[in-house]
Amino acid sequence: MISCGIMPRMKTVRPLILAVALALIAIGSVSAAPGAPVLVNPGFECDDGYHPQAGIRGLIPNGWTAQLLAGDPDLVSTRMRFYYVCDHDPANFVERLEGYDSFIFAAQDIETPPEPGKPFDALIYQQVAVTPGVAYSLSGWMVSLCGGSSAANPCPPDYYMAKMIGLDPTGGTNPLAGSVAWVEDRRNFTETRWLNMQQAARAQSSTLTVFARVRSPYRWHGNHAFADAFSVVRAPSAQIIGLPTTQPGRQVAVRWQGDLGPDIPAIPNGKYSLLFDMQYRAGGGAWADWLIGQPAGSATFQAPACGSATYAFRVRPRAEQLVSGGAWPNHRYPGVWSDPATVTFTQAACASRVYLPYASR
């Protein structure tokens, strides 16, 4: 039995505990940094679950949604397509990059006459929670097999299958929207096996959409492609430092540096370093490549003797493992272009020259 003398003390303590708890929560919410985006089933492993989707032939990995833009291909776990069971038996080989499974895009009637390998354009996408204003990097692996897996059945020279990955920084799910930033590769497996594809974007909302897409516009037997090992992290950053706003003469030292960010150094066994690409433009003109794949440092830019006196520079980082024995898969993570830094050369504009004819007497 509780005495009446204890009740007032309980009423006083409870609000105090609640106030302290709310204060601690508030402090934690301010100081805690957002973590890396969490992709559901990024390796397309059948153990992580697949589900049927209306209008789609096959099964779609949990966490992902499929969409058909053309045709009616099979979309399914590679292991379940070839062995009809989700197992880890090493004797039951399937094409994959890591783990024991991958995801296959297979043309309708892939080897069935009279019209095998019907054209298609299909994709899967997943939305992940992110922080607006933060740049994110997507790395994924794909391989396409136009004409099937035998080199004896080549794809015609003017045919191709396009492997594509994309990011929508607005969180939309329309693959045809202008907000989607796509990367595409049309090379067949005879030119490149599993290909690492990368893209980066700065989030414009609290949701980022990841796309994996295969576009096979020609009817050809055996056409299929695989996707595996997708990863999203907070992107590396880069900036130009110490660039003067004005500079005598026509040359200037451009310096740059960057940071891997919080997620890439946390990758188990990772041995990542930064490389940088540099671009410049004169006045309001188009961007032009200047330096590719450079470490952090500086370089001297020499402007032409005549022409625009104002130049802008920007830098983009990418994280790569430049030594062996690092993390597997060997993801590459690009960043986004930095804000431009501008310098104006103060040398006077080139004087106009007028040539007069010479006449002798």
Side-chain angles (χ1 to χ4, degrees):
M1 182 176 178
I2 301 176
S3 68
C4 294
I6 298 178
M7 295 299 291
R9 290 168 54 193
M10 292 293 292
K11 290 180 179 179
T12 302
V13 171
R14 282 179 178 172
L16 179 60
I17 294 174
L18 180 60
V20 172
L22 290 174
L24 290 173
I25 292 172
I27 292 172
S29 65
V30 171
S31 61
V38 179
L39 274 176
V40 178
N41 199 356
F44 309 106
E45 310 290 3
C46 53
D47 274 352
D48 290 338
Y50 276 68
H51 62 274
Q53 183 179 323
I56 302 295
R57 293 196 305 130
L59 295 170
I60 307 306
N62 288 347
W64 298 84
T65 301
Q67 187 173 347
L68 300 180
L69 299 179
D72 189 23
D74 288 326
L75 308 178
V76 70
S77 148
T78 305
R79 188 163 289 279
M80 295 171 69
R81 175 179 173 83
F82 289 103
Y83 297 106
Y84 311 105
V85 64
C86 180
D87 66 8
H88 297 212
D89 187 347
N92 294 336
F93 172 80
V94 297
E95 188 68 57
R96 66 193 187 279
L97 185 77
E98 53 128 22
Y100 56 90
D101 202 1
S102 61
F103 186 73
I104 185 171
F105 301 75
Q108 182 183 4
D109 299 328
I110 190 168
E111 292 287 4
T112 305
E115 295 183 343
K118 291 182 173 61
F120 69 89
D121 187 350
L123 60 96
I124 55 175
Y125 67 83
Q126 184 173 155
Q127 296 171 295
V128 294
V130 293
T131 301
V134 174
Y136 293 89
S137 184
L138 166 66
S139 175
W141 295 79
M142 302 182 77
V143 60
S144 55
L145 297 92
C146 182
S149 59
S150 172
N153 300 314
C155 195
D158 54 343
Y159 283 20
Y160 65 86
M161 296 179 69
K163 304 175 291 294
M164 306 170 69
I165 68 167
L167 287 175
D168 189 338
T170 70
T173 59
N174 178 7
L176 303 181
S179 55
V180 182
W182 289 103
V183 171
E184 175 179 316
D185 187 277
R186 297 182 177 183
R187 288 174 292 176
N188 201 19
F189 80 103
T190 52
E191 300 175 74
T192 175
R193 290 289 298 168
W194 280 95
L195 180 68
N196 180 225
M197 305 179 68
Q198 319 105 39
Q199 183 60 288
R202 191 174 301 279
Q204 299 176 25
S205 72
S206 59
T207 302
L208 180 76
T209 309
V210 175
F211 294 90
R213 177 179 174 185
V214 176
R215 185 166 60 89
S216 182
Y218 302 101
R219 181 179 66 80
W220 191 250
H221 72 93
N223 282 5
H224 62 292
F226 300 91
D228 200 6
F230 273 53
S231 174
V232 180
V233 298
R234 283 171 287 185
S237 60
Q239 54 278 327
I240 294 170
I241 55 174
L243 187 72
T245 56
T246 59
Q247 177 73 8
R250 302 293 290 188
Q251 69 177 28
V252 65
V254 182
R255 300 176 178 86
W256 62 91
Q257 65 182 16
D259 188 85
L260 286 170
D263 299 334
I264 296 172
I267 296 174
N269 302 317
K271 296 181 179 180
Y272 282 92
S273 301
L274 280 177
L275 296 176
F276 300 87
D277 300 333
M278 295 284 297
Q279 289 186 335
Y280 74 94
R281 68 180 178 189
W287 289 102
D289 291 335
W290 178 31
L291 304 172
I292 303 295
Q294 299 297 305
S298 65
T300 299
F301 178 81
Q302 178 69 53
C306 298
S308 174
T310 299
Y311 284 79
F313 301 88
R314 65 180 184 177
V315 59
R316 179 178 60 186
R318 64 178 185 272
E320 296 191 9
Q321 297 186 104
L322 303 179
V323 296
S324 60
W328 180 260
N330 187 14
H331 289 292
R332 285 90 168 175
Y333 296 107
V336 298
W337 287 106
S338 69
D339 293 332
T342 302
V343 60
T344 299
F345 295 105
T346 56
Q347 174 179 299
C350 298
S352 299
R353 296 183 178 181
V354 178
Y355 294 91
L356 298 176
Y358 173 80
S360 61
R361 293 182 179 183

